Amino acid sequence: MAPAVSLRHDRVRDADLLVLPERVVVLRGSAARLLRLCDGDRDLDAIVAELMSRFPGAPVAEDVPAFLGRMRTEGWVR
């Protein structure tokens, strides 16, 4: 995650959030689960491998790099 970004769960809304300076992004689906794997220890290949083992048959190899690319473009992950 970028230094100014934090991932939190809002118990009131039962929603995962990315909290940024002056902005909050509500995460949908498995986005928060994926972002929790972005811990600085795993690279993209390790994240994809982990998710492929958890969700066999899902289009992880295509979807995860695209999602993380968008997150990098926004400046939310490094």
Side-chain angles (χ1 to χ4, degrees):
M1 304 298 276
V5 178
S6 64
L7 178 60
R8 297 195 183 145
H9 182 77
D10 182 338
R11 286 182 281 161
V12 174
R13 293 182 234 175
D14 192 28
D16 291 308
L17 310 172
L18 271 184
V19 180
L20 307 116
E22 301 182 23
R23 186 173 180 189
V24 174
V25 177
V26 178
L27 300 172
R28 307 238 184 261
S30 59
R33 191 174 319 154
L34 190 157
L35 289 174
R36 284 188 181 93
L37 295 175
C38 298
D39 57 9
D41 293 329
R42 295 177 180 97
D43 63 7
L44 178 60
D45 291 336
I47 292 170
V48 168
E50 173 73 22
L51 291 171
M52 286 177 75
S53 71
R54 289 185 191 182
F55 307 101
V60 172
E62 298 82 27
D63 292 351
V64 169
F67 174 76
L68 290 177
R70 286 191 308 269
M71 299 299 280
R72 278 191 202 104
T73 298
E74 292 291 338
W76 301 340
V77 296
R78 293 193 220 173

